[in-house]
Amino acid sequence: MEQKIALSTSPLDLERSDLYINRELSWIEFNRRVFCEAQSPRHPLLERVKFISIFETNLDEFVMIRLAGLKDQAASHLGVRSPDGRTAEQQLTAVRQQLVSLVQEVRQYWRNDLLPLLAEQCIYIFDYEQLDEQQQAMMGDYFEHEVFPVLTPLAVDAVHPFPHISNLSLNLAVVIKDPLLGELFARIKVPPSLPRLVPVPLASAEESQAVAFVWLEQLIAANLHLLFPGFDVWESYPFRVIRDADIELQEDDAADLLQYIEQEVRERRFGSVVDLTINPSMPKTVRRRLLDGLGISSRHLTVVDGPLRMGDVIALHDLERSELKDAPFTPHVPAFLRQETDIFAAMREQDVILHHPYDSFNSVVDFISAAADDPQVLAIKQTLYRVGSKKDIVNALQRAVEKGKQVAVIVELKARFDEENNIVWARELEREGVHVVYGQLGLKTHAKVALVVRKEENGLRRYVHLGTGNYNATTARIYEDLCLLTCQDEICADATALFNSLTGHSRKNNYQRLLVAPVSLRRALTERIEREIRWHEEFGNGRIIMKMNALTDPPIIKQLYQASRAGVDIDLIVRGICCLRPGVGEISENIRVRSIVGRFLEHSRIYCFGNNGQEEFFIGSADMMQRNLNNRVEALVPLENANFCEIIREKILKPMLADTVNAYALQPDGNYTRILSQEGRKPFDCQAWFVTHPLFDGEEDDEC
């Protein structure tokens, strides 16, 4: 049951701090939900292991960016407070308290639950001491031939300074006891180029599917005598360092943005240390040596009882054990987009809406490929934010240039942790003759738009793809997203104007149909929320549904509070961070917030306004965050086709709001609780339902 609380101060003050959930603590709650999925027996075993890996990689990014930012704020002593009224120092304290207990809970679950479950399936992860003599001998041979040549022990003494410890690296602190020289210290980096989970030979008599592994750092620790001959090696202790990886951009000073970003990426590995993670077995003397060598205090120390860098357990998901993974499915392709179909003729016949990964992303690739190969196509323009490693889209753009078409691509070099990958693609595209632009000064280009110009019998016609997700064929298999393929004149004209503003000196400040940030998006959403308030005051039918990845923008939150106070019925589907506090008496009683975390990453953004029965639906790239509304180029496109509106309402939003398997409800205190099915009703999994109920060509829908 949802909690409803009334806070103490005047309900008229909608900017007071107790109405806002702390952003960083909300993120921790999101990652806790990821961990909850690892604990859920409804997921196959190796999928649960995958969720542990996702939890860890999420946490690394949080520490590198958000925790590092708080550390910088605290050091600046500016006294800036978050919307919930906390100083940076107070946030740091609260975040570290939450993380320490949560990370330890994950390790305990790994040790006490997942490892035994894996062993039941003949998947063993041993500590080195558990290996028998024969296995240790064979692993010693592997170490000598495959590991030993890669290692570089670094002494630390009067003539050997404390070495640079690279970001995210796993290391061993080695203490050597010598009768003449006393206690010596060295560091060994665990090579990231080698498998972290090293296969261990098993007796042939064992189960044929059985596999076993040992941690690489334990294998190294067991063979230190080969690295330090002539010494009695005393002890070794694993440790890990995380550094500030947030690139500080001074674009005004950059003569060449690509070279500037490339240099900043190189400098990232030298960022200040944010966290030192160790095991509890490490003695105080060794801890102090590391802290002093890294130039940090014990406040930056995290003690974890269990394996470090657990994101590496994702390797287990590569095992050929299909019965321990999600059942594969074949994405749907609507009949009017199937093979041998002229995609441009199909788009002239009707607009197309696709719901990935349930609808195949190949249809989007086919759109770009068809444009590259069609002799009637004159130009292609496209934004690229996160491209990934697959080259289907890039190859098509290169092919288009070879065939004499004008191709312009906006590559966002500042896409966090994809900078290096995007630099590679930018250079490759430039070498092939593509016009590559890096967006606008001071703004990230986050909009997902592709525009094709085609010469036809009645003149030039434009075709557009607008989506909520990246042009990345790999993530499109696991990210839930929406897109629209259309040749509507006004939308195409807006897309043309948007590209002109990105590639040239256009100062376009009004668009016919698209809602574009930072130009018009905030104002347009504000007007629509205010309109719902007016409709509700007049007719009592105000309705707002928003689906997004994050809700942190204080002005938008304040407006939603105002709408709730007026009686507007509001459902928010927010996968990650949500700073709005629902269920507060006389403030947000009419707002419900749910988060869906499941097999697929919920990534689409949908904004629905009741509009007195004339519903408006928008999809696009923008979350309700200050950075998206103020400092990024974003685009939302209206879905005005009545059939599409019904599809979004009945076949996407309604199932999501009915989910009782993947959904969590946000409580007024900032905690989340699972939404369970009512007694006597079957649990409903919206993601499983989407797999079997395509938007088009489907049979009559089951009740959801």
Side-chain angles (χ1 to χ4, degrees):
M1 180 178 293
E2 292 185 359
Q3 303 174 22
K4 290 189 182 295
I5 60 173
L7 303 183
S8 57
T9 52
S10 169
L12 298 177
D13 180 10
L14 299 182
E15 295 181 359
R16 70 184 200 242
S17 61
D18 60 349
L19 288 179
Y20 295 83
I21 297 170
N22 182 265
R23 172 187 169 138
E24 319 308 340
L25 297 181
S26 180
W27 182 91
I28 292 173
E29 285 302 309
F30 161 64
N31 217 27
R32 190 187 302 277
R33 295 194 294 281
V34 174
F35 173 45
C36 287
E37 295 305 302
Q39 297 172 288
S40 174
R42 71 186 178 86
H43 292 297
L45 181 56
L46 291 182
E47 302 299 336
R48 295 165 70 178
V49 172
K50 181 182 72 175
F51 278 112
I52 291 287
S53 176
I54 294 171
F55 173 93
E56 289 287 320
T57 52
N58 284 349
L59 182 59
D60 284 348
E61 183 172 337
F62 176 79
V63 173
M64 285 189 288
I65 303 300
R66 300 302 306 178
L67 204 62
L70 287 176
K71 179 173 168 280
D72 290 343
Q73 286 181 42
S76 70
H77 301 293
L78 293 178
V80 177
R81 292 180 180 267
S82 57
D84 67 313
R86 302 180 197 232
T87 65
E89 195 69 45
Q90 290 170 331
Q91 292 181 79
L92 275 173
T93 300
V95 165
R96 285 198 173 276
Q97 286 175 346
Q98 292 283 330
L99 286 182
V100 167
S101 61
L102 180 57
V103 169
Q104 195 53 53
E105 187 180 347
V106 170
R107 295 309 189 279
Q108 290 171 351
Y109 182 72
W110 169 257
R111 180 172 57 248
N112 298 334
D113 294 84
L114 283 185
L115 281 181
L117 288 172
L118 287 166
E120 288 177 10
Q121 298 298 326
C122 300
I123 300 170
Y124 306 100
I125 300 179
F126 294 128
D127 287 326
Y128 189 82
E129 292 75 16
Q130 295 176 279
L131 305 183
D132 60 32
E133 288 186 11
Q134 183 179 5
Q135 288 172 324
Q136 289 189 7
M138 297 176 74
M139 295 311 296
D141 185 65
Y142 172 84
F143 174 84
E144 190 170 348
H145 291 91
E146 303 294 334
V147 182
F148 178 81
V150 184
L151 300 178
T152 305
L154 297 174
V156 179
D157 53 33
V159 294
H160 297 93
F162 193 89
H164 173 74
I165 310 296
S166 53
N167 186 32
L168 300 179
S169 64
L170 183 62
N171 307 267
L172 287 177
V174 182
V175 178
I176 302 169
K177 193 174 184 181
D178 183 74
L180 297 176
L181 301 175
E183 191 173 280
L184 305 176
F185 182 80
R187 170 259 189 169
I188 299 173
K189 181 176 181 178
V190 178
S193 57
L194 297 178
R196 174 79 184 290
L197 289 171
V198 183
V200 174
L202 291 173
S204 58
E206 296 196 38
E207 167 67 37
S208 61
Q209 282 190 309
V211 292
F213 303 91
V214 68
W215 297 102
L216 177 58
E217 64 270 24
Q218 292 185 7
L219 176 61
I220 296 171
N223 290 276
L224 287 176
H225 60 282
L226 298 176
L227 288 161
F228 301 98
F231 291 95
D232 293 328
V233 179
W234 190 16
E235 291 288 355
S236 67
Y237 308 96
F239 71 94
R240 187 169 185 244
V241 166
I242 301 181
R243 294 180 176 273
D244 183 347
D246 198 11
I247 293 177
E248 295 293 332
L249 296 175
Q250 303 294 331
E251 295 182 53
D252 292 340
D253 300 329
D256 185 316
L257 186 59
L258 187 145
Q259 291 184 5
Y260 175 69
I261 297 290
E262 196 169 35
Q263 178 62 31
E264 289 296 310
V265 170
R266 283 196 293 267
E267 293 295 326
R268 174 185 274 162
R269 60 196 179 103
F270 298 106
S272 61
V273 176
V274 182
D275 183 78
L276 167 64
T277 308
I278 64 171
N279 286 152
S281 60
M282 182 181 285
K284 290 182 179 179
T285 54
V286 180
R287 297 185 190 192
R288 176 46 54 193
R289 189 185 285 267
L290 290 176
L291 291 171
D292 291 345
L294 293 167
I296 57 176
S297 71
S298 58
R299 295 183 60 200
H300 300 83
L301 187 66
T302 301
V303 181
V304 172
D305 186 9
L308 309 184
R309 206 176 75 187
M310 281 200 65
D312 292 332
V313 300
I314 191 64
L316 296 175
H317 198 268
D318 293 334
L319 293 173
E320 296 294 331
R321 298 290 299 273
S322 59
E323 76 279 12
L324 302 180
K325 302 180 189 180
D326 287 326
F329 77 98
T330 302
H332 179 71
V333 179
F336 46 83
L337 291 181
R338 285 174 192 160
Q339 209 165 16
E340 309 303 328
T341 298
D342 180 343
I343 195 166
F344 300 114
M347 291 173 66
R348 288 193 297 273
E349 183 72 22
Q350 65 182 89
D351 287 351
V352 176
I353 187 171
L354 299 174
H355 191 200
H356 308 305
Y358 315 106
D359 290 321
S360 175
F361 187 74
N362 288 341
S363 298
V364 178
V365 177
D366 291 345
F367 171 62
I368 304 298
S369 295
D373 298 327
D374 189 331
Q376 292 178 255
V377 169
L378 305 179
I380 303 172
K381 302 180 183 184
Q382 187 169 1
T383 62
L384 294 178
Y385 190 74
R386 299 189 192 276
V387 189
S389 57
K390 283 207 167 188
K391 296 182 61 174
D392 297 348
I393 296 283
V394 171
N395 285 343
L397 295 172
Q398 292 171 333
R399 199 165 65 248
V401 171
E402 292 170 2
K403 297 189 176 186
K405 306 178 195 309
Q406 292 289 318
V407 181
V409 176
I410 291 85
V411 178
E412 182 47 73
L413 299 180
K414 303 182 288 287
R416 184 174 290 148
F417 299 120
D418 268 333
E419 299 97 343
E420 291 179 87
N421 193 50
N422 286 4
I423 287 169
V424 170
W425 291 132
R427 287 209 162 113
E428 184 168 331
L429 288 166
E430 284 178 330
R431 280 196 300 270
E432 297 296 328
V434 174
H435 298 297
V436 178
V437 179
Y438 308 130
Q440 295 184 327
L441 197 65
L443 299 175
K444 280 187 180 181
T445 302
H446 191 245
K448 326 296 184 184
V449 190
L451 171 69
V452 172
V453 182
R454 191 170 186 266
K455 186 177 182 179
E456 299 181 356
E457 185 176 350
N458 296 323
L460 296 183
R461 187 191 292 269
R462 292 168 292 198
Y463 299 81
V464 168
H465 170 274
L466 293 120
T468 68
N470 298 301
Y471 294 102
N472 185 323
T474 300
T475 58
R477 295 200 299 266
I478 54 174
Y479 283 25
E480 180 270 343
D481 274 302
L482 284 162
C483 73
L484 175 70
L485 290 159
T486 182
C487 57
Q488 292 182 48
D489 288 339
E490 290 183 344
I491 292 177
C492 292
D494 279 352
T496 301
L498 177 60
F499 277 108
N500 288 343
S501 73
L502 293 171
T503 61
H505 293 295
S506 167
R507 290 182 175 175
K508 181 76 173 177
N509 56 15
N510 65 302
Y511 292 84
Q512 299 175 80
R513 306 278 287 287
L514 296 185
L515 306 184
V516 177
V519 177
S520 60
L521 178 53
R522 180 184 289 279
R523 182 180 69 251
L525 292 176
T526 296
E527 290 171 351
R528 282 163 174 80
I529 296 173
E530 291 175 347
R531 185 184 62 191
E532 288 306 309
I533 293 174
R534 293 195 300 272
W535 284 132
H536 194 82
E537 289 173 345
E538 187 170 356
F539 298 105
N541 60 356
R543 181 72 168 124
I544 296 172
I545 306 174
M546 293 184 172
K547 179 181 182 293
M548 66 203 93
N549 298 332
L551 172 58
T552 66
D553 183 72
I556 293 291
I557 292 174
K558 181 181 176 181
Q559 283 190 298
L560 291 172
Y561 284 152
Q562 290 170 335
S564 174
R565 281 172 53 80
V568 176
D569 191 35
I570 302 172
D571 276 296
L572 304 176
I573 306 170
V574 187
R575 183 194 78 217
I577 304 167
C578 182
C579 297
L580 179 146
R581 197 182 291 278
V584 178
E586 300 184 12
I587 300 289
S588 54
E589 290 178 305
N590 296 305
I591 302 178
R592 296 163 298 279
V593 179
R594 64 170 47 207
S595 170
I596 296 175
V597 181
R599 174 179 179 178
F600 303 111
L601 180 79
E602 294 294 326
H603 193 252
S604 66
R605 291 87 165 182
I606 306 171
Y607 300 95
C608 168
F609 303 93
N611 194 27
N612 195 31
Q614 302 296 312
E615 289 175 300
E616 283 191 322
F617 290 87
F618 297 87
I619 64 171
S621 58
D623 290 309
M624 294 297 98
M625 307 176 76
Q626 288 170 298
R627 71 184 189 193
N628 297 79
L629 298 172
N630 300 342
N631 304 114
R632 288 187 174 186
V633 177
E634 306 276 10
L636 298 186
V637 61
L639 301 178
E640 296 177 341
N641 179 303
N643 184 39
F644 287 177
C645 292
E646 182 178 358
I647 284 173
I648 294 291
R649 183 196 326 108
E650 298 297 323
K651 288 193 169 186
I652 296 179
L653 291 177
K654 182 180 176 182
M656 288 179 176
L657 291 173
D659 192 290
T660 55
V661 172
N662 306 288
Y664 298 77
L666 174 59
Q667 304 302 318
D669 61 4
N671 294 316
Y672 285 77
T673 59
R674 275 196 182 273
I675 298 175
L676 302 176
S677 56
Q678 296 178 356
E679 188 174 351
R681 299 202 65 177
K682 290 182 179 179
F684 177 71
D685 181 339
C686 72
Q687 294 188 343
W689 190 85
F690 291 140
V691 168
T692 57
H693 292 75
L695 301 187
F696 301 98
D697 306 335
E699 298 177 357
E700 198 65 31
D701 297 334
D702 299 331
E703 182 182 353
C704 68

